[in-house]
Amino acid sequence: MGTALLSLSGLTKTYPGVVANSDVGFDIQPGEVHALLGENGAGKSTLVKMIYGLVAPDSGQMTLNDVPFSPADPNAARAAGVAMVFQHFSLFDALSVAENVALGMDNPPPRRELSDKIRTVSKAYGLPLDPQRTVGDLSAGERQRVEIIRCLLQDPKLLIMDEPTSVLTPQEVEILFKTLRKLSAEGTAILYISHKLEEIRSLCDTATILRLGKKVATCTPAERTAAELAEMMVGSSLRPPERRAHEPGGVLLEVNDLTIAPTQAFGTRLQNISFSLRMGEILGIGGVAGNGQDELLAALSGEVLTDASAIVMQGTAVGAMGPTGRRNRGLLTAPEERLGHAAAPEMTLTENALLTGSKRQALVKGGWINWAAAKGFAEHIIHHFDVRTPGPEVAARALSGGNLQKFVIGREVLQEPHVLVVNQPTWGVDASAAASIRQALLDLAADGAAIICISQDLDELMEISDRFAALNEGKLSPIRATADLTVEEIGLMMGGAHGMEVADA
Amino acid sequence: MLKIEKRASPSKTWNWAAPIMAVALTMIVGGALFGLLGVNPFQAIAKIFYEPLFGEYAFYYRPQLMIKAAPLVLIAIGLSMGFRAGIWNIGAEGQYIMGALSGAGLALALYPMELPILLPLMVIAGALGGMLWGLIPGYLKVKFGTNEILVSLMLVYVAEQILASMALGLMKNPEGMGFPGSRNLQQYPSAHNAEIFAGSGMHWGVAAALIAVIFAYVMLTRHMFGFQLRLSGIAPRAAKFAGVDPGRMILICMGLSGALAGMAGLFEIAGPAGQVSIDFNVGYGFTAIIVAFLGRLNPIGILLAGLLLAITYVGGEITQSQMGLPLAAIQLFQGMLLFFLLAMDMLTNYRFRRSTKEAV
């Protein structure tokens, strides 16, 4: 096809021990919104890194407008008209929007001119943004707009977007999609990376599906059902988690007027959070990243102390108690960051099992470690949660993200908590591992535990939680039963479209 | 082209090969240095490493090795605990001095009373003195977030001034005819840290060092405190999540390393050194940092590294007196050991690969 904007063929990249991409090829037409669909570890990131000049392919060719294209670095890619918005933003919190944009340009125009340009572009594409604001004060959605505008100022022919909606409320997703459709109508091609099927079906013209580094298919997503796409992506059909019917019991955990000052600059202050949690119940807490999720987990785990009465567990005030005391009472947590927070990367799985299991699993007596028992507990987790690893003596960092997450969740679930708090339990985890983690949480609740699931994945929360609330700027919305919520209502609970008032200013 | 690449997990082989490589490289480069100074490098290196152990006068040098190695090992064991937890006490020299002064001060205050438990009491006083001196930077770090590296180092110089003041003032020997320095504790039977077996060099400090090695080994491998210590160093956030109180960990590590350094100082002042004098400290507290790293922060490794450093000390003195090598050359030789170790260390976590960057 001579008309293709970007044409890939036979792209292969191997890392030691892993084939990230094997013989991948497809075409992107000008003005096309092309989805790159695949599970975590399917090779999406490596592929776009090759297009963006961050990684050189081992073999294979790329052509851009029929000219061989092999960018040596991102500068070369940008010069050729390829721009990329990363999932993790590279912005300086302490600088203004305009300053951040200027830093990404080779020859930035004078500040005033640039500010005007930013305003123009932001108006033209419906991306409200005030160039004078400090980035540290912006919401995740607004930060993404900074990144997008930075790209648009270069007038790209191809815009790559890596999981752009993971940090957006449903309302913000709508705004973004309008912008992308407008760009596409003007002839800009968009390579859209995601694993969210409904989004892809509504937005993208074409989808290329990757599985284990290989291209499975290129299709028109609107003509397929979400289930068909999922099956192509995962390679097998997934069983949705089963819910056992059960009635919630007595109150296990009460949080009363919890207020915590941020521990770092541009951190989030938790404000007057109150809720109660009953036996057998799963409370889903949604919200865009950076709205107090980490702070809430730290307050519940005991890493940050509060007034004793702010957190009451089965009648005992535990707010002033550290993590060990809370664990002894059956309040267990699993933080979002697996490496370095929930687990020590350099330590073995046995040692990591000991990390939180020492007391409840009686792995330590009088300060002396029973290594045999610790190893036994690690093996128990590995076996029960199907953690793929040669054995418990392997360092945690050697495990894939999904396997380590199964280990971390399994470690807490198997300690029979009364209350379990998890943050992003399936983040970066492949679909089958995610399904098994959700099933484990549902089973735990059915057996009488109470669970708080903090997550940015709304589908996940709708699937497993009985009640739902959203964190927005450190405040918790009223709690509603999940069954009678609409997507619009959820979006409003998450704070609607952040920063829209600027649009009219 | 060679490319550096992080290993999936640290290499067990290199963990032990790195110190051996470092010693070998030190011999090569140090030998070249000796050669440039006009000394036969083979002879010099043979003298440094061979004479103290198996030479004609080994019967004299071997006890010297014990005497030099004991404080190094004792201090390094304490330091290694902190280093493992990511707490950088580099002021052991000051804690060593303060321990010596506390213990010696107790003995001098009680002089000439003969008391069978005087030496044990002095050991306790020495440990307390070193511990308190170590807790100052610890407390300041916990309370005000000061940098323990700077504070502990600066306190070394404070301790040196206190030592000088004591040697010239409060602790000066009243019967010393005006000479600086205290009474000689070697001549105060209750206070003398004498050799356990005459002529062996094996004083109570050597016994304490060996006990410390065993104690540290058992604690690091079997006890929850050792686990929390390692966890704090490797993954501080995970340690906090596991329930380790970081402030408490800092105080324990600073106190423990200070106490061991203080004990080392006491054993030295009550034994081989004998008296409080201006030039009492000779840098054991600093050399122990090299010993701790050379020994991979591993108690057994520290024992071996302490012996190795003691050999370079004793052997260095031999080459100095017999071959006319300057002291600076010997110190350079010891410094190289740490330098090469740190360089070789990289190979534990990284490896070289031929880079496969081909034209695309």
Side-chain angles (χ1 to χ4, degrees), chain A residues 265-343:
Chain A
F266 302 113
T268 307
R269 168 190 292 272
L270 290 183
Q271 289 179 63
N272 312 99
I273 291 181
S274 300
F275 61 86
S276 64
L277 196 63
R278 304 159 77 91
M279 275 179 78
E281 177 183 54
I282 301 183
L283 171 65
I285 296 186
V288 172
N291 275 294
Q293 287 91 339
D294 292 346
E295 287 81 359
L296 180 61
L297 184 110
L300 290 171
S301 73
E303 288 165 274
V304 171
L305 301 183
T306 60
D307 292 339
S309 60
I311 300 169
V312 178
M313 167 97 186
Q314 290 168 310
T316 315
V318 299
M321 217 176 257
T324 311
R326 297 190 195 192
R327 257 180 217 125
N328 293 346
R329 281 177 171 70
L331 171 52
L332 270 54
T333 52
E336 172 183 2
E337 184 65 48
R338 296 180 278 264
L339 286 173
H341 195 183

Coordinates of all heavy atoms in Angstrom, one line a residue, chain A residues 265-343:
Chain A
A265 N 5.7 17.9 49.2 CA 5.2 19.0 48.3 C 4.3 18.4 47.2 O 4.6 17.4 46.6 CB 6.4 19.7 47.8
F266 N 3.2 19.0 46.9 CA 2.3 18.6 45.9 C 1.6 17.3 46.2 O 1.1 16.6 45.3 CB 2.9 18.6 44.5 CG 3.5 19.9 44.0 CD1 4.9 20.0 43.9 CD2 2.7 21.0 43.8 CE1 5.5 21.2 43.5 CE2 3.3 22.2 43.4 CZ 4.6 22.3 43.3
G267 N 1.7 16.9 47.5 CA 1.0 15.7 47.9 C -0.5 16.1 48.1 O -0.9 17.3 48.0
T268 N -1.3 15.1 48.4 CA -2.7 15.4 48.6 C -3.1 15.4 50.1 O -2.6 14.5 50.8 CB -3.6 14.3 47.9 OG1 -3.1 14.3 46.5 CG2 -5.0 14.7 47.9
R269 N -3.9 16.3 50.5 CA -4.4 16.3 51.9 C -5.7 15.5 51.9 O -6.6 15.8 51.2 CB -4.6 17.8 52.3 CG -5.4 18.0 53.6 CD -5.8 19.4 53.8 NE -4.6 20.2 54.0 CZ -4.1 20.4 55.2 NH1 -4.6 19.9 56.3 NH2 -3.0 21.2 55.3
L270 N -5.8 14.6 52.8 CA -7.0 13.8 53.0 C -7.9 14.7 53.9 O -7.5 15.2 55.0 CB -6.8 12.5 53.7 CG -6.0 11.4 52.9 CD1 -6.0 10.2 53.7 CD2 -6.8 11.2 51.6
Q271 N -9.1 14.9 53.5 CA -10.0 15.8 54.3 C -11.3 15.1 54.7 O -12.1 14.7 53.9 CB -10.3 17.0 53.4 CG -9.1 17.9 53.2 CD -9.5 19.1 52.4 OE1 -10.3 19.9 52.7 NE2 -8.9 19.2 51.2
N272 N -11.5 15.0 56.0 CA -12.7 14.6 56.7 C -13.3 13.4 56.0 O -14.5 13.4 55.6 CB -13.7 15.8 56.6 CG -13.1 17.1 57.0 OD1 -12.8 17.9 56.2 ND2 -13.0 17.3 58.3
I273 N -12.5 12.4 55.9 CA -13.0 11.1 55.4 C -13.7 10.3 56.4 O -13.1 10.0 57.5 CB -11.9 10.4 54.7 CG1 -11.5 11.1 53.4 CG2 -12.3 8.9 54.3 CD1 -10.4 10.5 52.7
S274 N -14.9 9.9 56.2 CA -15.6 9.1 57.1 C -16.4 8.0 56.3 O -17.0 8.2 55.3 CB -16.7 9.9 57.9 OG -16.1 10.9 58.6
F275 N -16.3 6.7 56.8 CA -17.1 5.7 56.3 C -17.1 4.5 57.2 O -16.3 4.5 58.2 CB -16.7 5.3 54.9 CG -15.3 4.7 54.8 CD1 -15.0 3.4 55.0 CD2 -14.2 5.6 54.5 CE1 -13.7 2.9 54.9 CE2 -12.9 5.1 54.4 CZ -12.7 3.7 54.6
S276 N -18.0 3.6 57.1 CA -17.9 2.3 57.8 C -18.0 1.1 56.9 O -18.5 1.3 55.8 CB -18.9 2.3 58.9 OG -20.2 2.3 58.4
L277 N -17.5 0.1 57.4 CA -17.3 -1.1 56.5 C -17.8 -2.3 57.3 O -17.5 -2.5 58.4 CB -15.8 -1.3 56.2 CG -15.4 -2.1 55.0 CD1 -16.0 -1.6 53.8 CD2 -13.9 -2.2 55.0
R278 N -18.7 -3.1 56.6 CA -19.3 -4.3 57.3 C -18.7 -5.6 56.8 O -18.1 -5.6 55.7 CB -20.8 -4.3 57.0 CG -21.5 -3.0 57.4 CD -22.8 -2.9 56.7 NE -23.8 -3.7 57.3 CZ -24.6 -3.3 58.3 NH1 -24.5 -2.1 58.7 NH2 -25.5 -4.1 58.8
M279 N -18.9 -6.6 57.6 CA -18.4 -7.9 57.2 C -18.9 -8.3 55.9 O -20.1 -8.1 55.6 CB -18.9 -8.9 58.3 CG -18.1 -9.1 59.5 SD -18.8 -10.3 60.6 CE -18.3 -11.8 59.8
G280 N -18.1 -8.9 55.1 CA -18.6 -9.5 53.8 C -18.8 -8.5 52.7 O -19.3 -8.8 51.7
E281 N -18.3 -7.2 53.0 CA -18.6 -6.2 52.0 C -17.4 -5.7 51.3 O -16.3 -5.7 51.8 CB -19.2 -5.0 52.8 CG -19.5 -3.8 52.0 CD -20.0 -2.6 52.8 OE1 -19.3 -2.3 53.8 OE2 -21.0 -2.1 52.5
I282 N -17.5 -5.4 50.0 CA -16.4 -4.8 49.3 C -16.7 -3.4 48.9 O -17.7 -3.1 48.2 CB -16.0 -5.6 48.0 CG1 -15.7 -7.0 48.3 CG2 -14.9 -4.9 47.2 CD1 -15.3 -7.9 47.1
L283 N -15.9 -2.5 49.5 CA -16.1 -1.0 49.1 C -15.1 -0.7 48.1 O -13.9 -0.8 48.3 CB -15.9 -0.2 50.4 CG -15.8 1.3 50.2 CD1 -17.2 1.9 49.7 CD2 -15.4 2.0 51.5
G284 N -15.6 -0.2 46.9 CA -14.7 0.2 45.9 C -14.5 1.7 46.0 O -15.4 2.5 46.1
I285 N -13.2 2.1 45.9 CA -12.9 3.5 45.9 C -12.2 3.9 44.6 O -11.1 3.5 44.4 CB -12.0 3.9 47.2 CG1 -12.8 3.6 48.4 CG2 -11.6 5.4 47.1 CD1 -12.2 4.1 49.7
G286 N -12.9 4.7 43.8 CA -12.4 5.1 42.5 C -11.7 6.4 42.6 O -11.6 7.0 43.7
G287 N -11.4 7.0 41.5 CA -10.8 8.3 41.4 C -9.6 8.3 40.5 O -8.9 7.3 40.4
V288 N -9.3 9.5 40.0 CA -8.1 9.6 39.2 C -6.8 9.6 40.1 O -6.9 10.1 41.2 CB -8.2 11.0 38.4 CG1 -6.9 11.2 37.7 CG2 -9.3 10.9 37.5
A289 N -5.7 9.0 39.6 CA -4.5 8.9 40.4 C -4.1 10.3 40.9 O -4.4 11.3 40.3 CB -3.4 8.4 39.5
G290 N -3.5 10.2 42.1 CA -3.0 11.5 42.7 C -4.1 12.3 43.5 O -3.9 13.4 43.8
N291 N -5.2 11.6 43.7 CA -6.3 12.3 44.5 C -6.4 11.9 45.9 O -7.4 12.1 46.6 CB -7.6 12.2 43.8 CG -7.8 13.3 42.7 OD1 -7.9 14.5 43.0 ND2 -7.8 12.9 41.5
G292 N -5.3 11.2 46.4 CA -5.3 10.8 47.8 C -5.3 9.3 48.0 O -5.4 8.8 49.2
Q293 N -5.2 8.5 47.0 CA -5.2 7.1 47.1 C -4.1 6.6 48.0 O -4.3 5.8 48.9 CB -5.2 6.4 45.7 CG -6.5 6.5 44.9 CD -6.5 7.8 44.0 OE1 -5.8 8.7 44.3 NE2 -7.3 7.8 43.0
D294 N -2.9 7.0 47.6 CA -1.7 6.5 48.4 C -1.8 7.0 49.8 O -1.4 6.2 50.7 CB -0.4 7.1 47.8 CG -0.1 6.5 46.4 OD1 -0.8 5.5 46.1 OD2 0.7 7.0 45.7
E295 N -2.3 8.2 50.0 CA -2.4 8.7 51.4 C -3.4 7.9 52.2 O -3.2 7.6 53.4 CB -2.8 10.2 51.4 CG -1.7 11.1 50.9 CD -1.5 11.2 49.4 OE1 -2.2 10.5 48.7 OE2 -0.6 11.9 48.9
L296 N -4.5 7.5 51.6 CA -5.5 6.8 52.3 C -5.0 5.4 52.7 O -5.2 4.9 53.8 CB -6.8 6.6 51.4 CG -7.9 5.9 52.0 CD1 -8.4 6.5 53.3 CD2 -9.1 5.7 51.0
L297 N -4.3 4.8 51.7 CA -3.7 3.5 52.1 C -2.7 3.6 53.2 O -2.7 2.8 54.1 CB -3.0 2.8 50.9 CG -2.6 1.4 51.2 CD1 -3.4 0.4 50.5 CD2 -1.1 1.2 51.1
A298 N -1.9 4.6 53.2 CA -0.9 4.8 54.2 C -1.5 5.0 55.6 O -1.1 4.5 56.6 CB 0.1 5.9 53.9
A299 N -2.6 5.7 55.6 CA -3.3 6.0 56.8 C -4.0 4.7 57.4 O -4.0 4.5 58.6 CB -4.4 7.1 56.6
L300 N -4.5 3.9 56.4 CA -5.1 2.6 56.9 C -4.1 1.6 57.3 O -4.3 0.7 58.2 CB -6.0 2.1 55.8 CG -7.3 2.9 55.6 CD1 -8.0 2.5 54.3 CD2 -8.2 2.9 56.8
S301 N -2.9 1.6 56.6 CA -1.9 0.5 56.9 C -1.2 0.8 58.2 O -0.6 -0.1 58.8 CB -0.9 0.4 55.8 OG 0.0 1.5 55.8
G302 N -1.1 2.1 58.6 CA -0.4 2.5 59.8 C 0.9 3.1 59.5 O 1.7 3.3 60.4
E303 N 1.3 3.3 58.2 CA 2.5 3.9 57.9 C 2.5 5.4 58.2 O 3.5 6.0 58.5 CB 2.8 3.7 56.4 CG 3.2 2.3 56.0 CD 3.1 2.1 54.6 OE1 2.0 1.7 54.1 OE2 4.1 2.2 53.9
V304 N 1.3 5.9 58.2 CA 1.0 7.3 58.7 C 0.1 7.2 59.8 O -1.0 6.6 59.7 CB 0.5 8.2 57.5 CG1 0.0 9.5 58.1 CG2 1.5 8.4 56.4
L305 N 0.4 7.8 60.9 CA -0.4 7.7 62.1 C -1.4 8.9 62.2 O -1.1 10.0 61.7 CB 0.5 7.7 63.4 CG 1.4 6.5 63.4 CD1 2.2 6.5 64.7 CD2 0.7 5.2 63.2
T306 N -2.5 8.7 62.8 CA -3.5 9.7 63.0 C -4.0 9.7 64.4 O -3.5 9.0 65.3 CB -4.7 9.4 62.1 OG1 -5.3 8.1 62.5 CG2 -4.3 9.3 60.6
D307 N -5.0 10.5 64.7 CA -5.7 10.4 66.0 C -6.2 8.9 66.2 O -6.7 8.3 65.2 CB -6.9 11.3 66.1 CG -6.5 12.8 66.0 OD1 -5.3 13.0 66.4 OD2 -7.3 13.6 65.7
A308 N -6.0 8.4 67.4 CA -6.4 7.1 67.7 C -7.8 6.8 67.2 O -8.1 5.7 66.6 CB -6.2 6.7 69.1
S309 N -8.7 7.7 67.5 CA -10.1 7.4 67.2 C -10.5 7.6 65.7 O -11.7 7.3 65.4 CB -11.0 8.3 68.1 OG -10.7 9.7 67.7
A310 N -9.6 8.1 64.9 CA -10.0 8.3 63.5 C -10.2 7.0 62.8 O -11.0 6.9 61.8 CB -8.9 9.1 62.8
I311 N -9.5 5.9 63.3 CA -9.7 4.6 62.6 C -10.1 3.6 63.8 O -9.3 3.4 64.7 CB -8.5 4.2 61.9 CG1 -8.2 5.2 60.8 CG2 -8.7 2.8 61.3 CD1 -6.8 5.0 60.1
V312 N -11.2 3.0 63.7 CA -11.7 2.1 64.7 C -11.9 0.7 64.1 O -12.7 0.6 63.2 CB -12.9 2.6 65.4 CG1 -13.4 1.6 66.5 CG2 -12.7 4.0 66.0
M313 N -11.2 -0.2 64.7 CA -11.3 -1.6 64.1 C -12.0 -2.5 65.1 O -11.4 -2.7 66.2 CB -9.9 -2.0 63.8 CG -9.7 -3.5 63.5 SD -9.7 -3.8 61.7 CE -9.7 -5.6 61.7
Q314 N -13.1 -3.0 64.9 CA -13.9 -3.9 65.8 C -13.9 -3.3 67.2 O -13.6 -4.0 68.2 CB -13.3 -5.3 65.8 CG -13.5 -6.0 64.5 CD -12.7 -7.3 64.4 OE1 -11.5 -7.2 64.6 NE2 -13.3 -8.4 64.1
G315 N -14.2 -2.0 67.3 CA -14.3 -1.4 68.6 C -13.0 -0.9 69.2 O -13.1 -0.1 70.2
T316 N -11.9 -1.2 68.6 CA -10.6 -0.7 69.1 C -10.1 0.4 68.3 O -10.1 0.3 67.1 CB -9.5 -1.8 69.1 OG1 -10.1 -3.0 69.5 CG2 -8.3 -1.5 69.9
A317 N -9.7 1.5 69.0 CA -9.2 2.7 68.2 C -7.7 2.3 67.8 O -6.9 2.1 68.7 CB -9.2 3.9 69.1
V318 N -7.5 2.3 66.5 CA -6.2 1.8 66.0 C -5.4 2.9 65.3 O -4.3 2.7 64.8 CB -6.3 0.6 65.1 CG1 -6.8 -0.6 65.9 CG2 -7.1 0.9 63.9
G319 N -6.0 4.1 65.3 CA -5.4 5.2 64.4 C -4.0 5.6 64.8 O -3.2 6.0 64.0
A320 N -3.6 5.4 66.1 CA -2.3 5.7 66.5 C -1.3 4.5 66.5 O -0.2 4.6 67.1 CB -2.3 6.4 67.9
M321 N -1.8 3.4 66.0 CA -1.0 2.2 66.0 C -0.3 2.0 64.7 O -0.8 2.3 63.7 CB -2.1 1.1 66.2 CG -1.7 -0.1 67.1 SD -3.1 -1.2 67.2 CE -3.7 -0.8 68.8
G322 N 0.9 1.4 64.8 CA 1.8 1.2 63.7 C 1.3 0.0 62.9 O 0.4 -0.7 63.3
P323 N 1.9 -0.3 61.8 CA 1.5 -1.4 60.9 C 1.5 -2.8 61.7 O 0.5 -3.6 61.4 CB 2.6 -1.5 59.8 CG 3.2 -0.1 59.8 CD 3.1 0.4 61.2
T324 N 2.4 -3.0 62.5 CA 2.5 -4.3 63.2 C 1.2 -4.5 64.1 O 0.6 -5.6 64.0 CB 3.7 -4.4 64.1 OG1 4.8 -4.0 63.3 CG2 4.0 -5.8 64.6
G325 N 0.9 -3.5 64.9 CA -0.3 -3.6 65.8 C -1.5 -3.8 65.0 O -2.4 -4.6 65.4
R326 N -1.7 -3.2 63.9 CA -2.9 -3.3 63.1 C -2.9 -4.7 62.4 O -4.0 -5.3 62.4 CB -2.9 -2.2 62.0 CG -3.0 -0.8 62.6 CD -3.3 0.2 61.5 NE -3.0 1.5 62.1 CZ -3.4 2.7 61.5 NH1 -4.0 2.6 60.4 NH2 -3.1 3.8 62.1
R327 N -1.8 -5.2 62.0 CA -1.8 -6.5 61.4 C -2.2 -7.5 62.4 O -3.0 -8.4 62.1 CB -0.4 -6.9 60.9 CG -0.2 -6.7 59.5 CD 1.1 -7.1 58.9 NE 1.4 -6.1 57.8 CZ 2.4 -5.3 57.7 NH1 3.3 -5.3 58.6 NH2 2.5 -4.5 56.7
N328 N -1.7 -7.4 63.7 CA -2.1 -8.3 64.7 C -3.6 -8.3 64.9 O -4.2 -9.3 65.3 CB -1.4 -8.0 66.0 CG 0.1 -8.2 65.9 OD1 0.6 -8.8 65.0 ND2 0.8 -7.6 66.9
R329 N -4.3 -7.2 64.7 CA -5.7 -7.1 64.9 C -6.5 -7.5 63.6 O -7.7 -7.5 63.6 CB -6.1 -5.7 65.3 CG -5.8 -5.5 66.7 CD -6.1 -4.1 67.2 NE -6.1 -4.1 68.6 CZ -4.9 -4.2 69.3 NH1 -3.8 -4.3 68.7 NH2 -4.9 -4.1 70.6
G330 N -5.7 -7.9 62.6 CA -6.4 -8.4 61.4 C -6.7 -7.3 60.3 O -7.5 -7.6 59.4
L331 N -6.0 -6.1 60.4 CA -6.2 -5.1 59.4 C -5.0 -5.2 58.5 O -3.9 -4.8 58.9 CB -6.3 -3.7 60.0 CG -6.3 -2.5 59.1 CD1 -7.3 -2.6 58.0 CD2 -6.5 -1.2 59.9
L332 N -5.1 -5.8 57.3 CA -4.0 -6.0 56.4 C -4.1 -5.1 55.1 O -5.3 -4.8 54.7 CB -4.0 -7.5 56.0 CG -3.1 -8.4 56.9 CD1 -3.6 -8.3 58.3 CD2 -3.3 -9.8 56.4
T333 N -3.0 -4.8 54.5 CA -3.0 -3.9 53.4 C -2.1 -4.4 52.3 O -1.1 -5.1 52.6 CB -2.6 -2.5 53.8 OG1 -1.4 -2.5 54.5 CG2 -3.6 -1.8 54.7
A334 N -2.3 -4.0 51.1 CA -1.4 -4.3 50.0 C -1.3 -3.0 49.1 O -2.2 -2.6 48.4 CB -2.0 -5.4 49.1
P335 N -0.1 -2.3 49.3 CA 0.0 -1.1 48.5 C 0.1 -1.3 47.0 O 0.3 -2.4 46.5 CB 1.4 -0.5 49.1 CG 1.8 -1.4 50.2 CD 1.0 -2.7 50.0
E336 N 0.0 -0.1 46.3 CA 0.0 -0.2 44.9 C 1.4 -0.6 44.3 O 1.5 -1.4 43.5 CB -0.3 1.2 44.3 CG -0.2 1.3 42.8 CD -0.4 2.7 42.3 OE1 -0.8 3.6 43.1 OE2 -0.4 2.9 41.1
E337 N 2.4 0.1 44.8 CA 3.8 -0.2 44.3 C 4.3 -1.5 44.8 O 4.5 -1.7 46.0 CB 4.7 1.0 44.7 CG 6.1 1.0 44.2 CD 6.1 1.1 42.7 OE1 5.5 2.0 42.2 OE2 6.8 0.3 42.0
R338 N 4.5 -2.4 43.9 CA 4.9 -3.8 44.3 C 6.3 -3.8 44.7 O 6.7 -4.3 45.8 CB 4.7 -4.8 43.2 CG 3.3 -4.9 42.8 CD 3.2 -5.9 41.6 NE 3.5 -5.3 40.4 CZ 2.6 -4.9 39.5 NH1 1.3 -5.0 39.9 NH2 2.9 -4.4 38.4
L339 N 7.2 -3.2 43.8 CA 8.6 -3.3 44.1 C 9.1 -2.1 45.0 O 8.9 -1.0 44.6 CB 9.4 -3.2 42.7 CG 9.3 -4.5 41.9 CD1 9.9 -4.2 40.5 CD2 10.0 -5.6 42.6
G340 N 9.6 -2.5 46.1 CA 10.1 -1.5 47.0 C 9.1 -1.0 48.1 O 9.5 -0.3 49.0
H341 N 7.8 -1.3 47.9 CA 6.9 -1.0 48.9 C 6.2 -2.2 49.5 O 6.3 -2.6 50.7 CB 5.9 0.0 48.4 CG 5.1 0.7 49.5 ND1 4.1 1.6 49.2 CD2 5.2 0.7 50.8 CE1 3.6 2.1 50.3 NE2 4.2 1.5 51.3
A342 N 5.4 -2.9 48.6 CA 4.8 -4.1 49.1 C 5.8 -5.3 49.2 O 5.6 -6.2 50.0 CB 3.7 -4.5 48.1
A343 N 6.9 -5.2 48.4 CA 7.9 -6.2 48.5 C 9.3 -5.6 48.3 O 9.4 -4.6 47.7 CB 7.6 -7.3 47.4

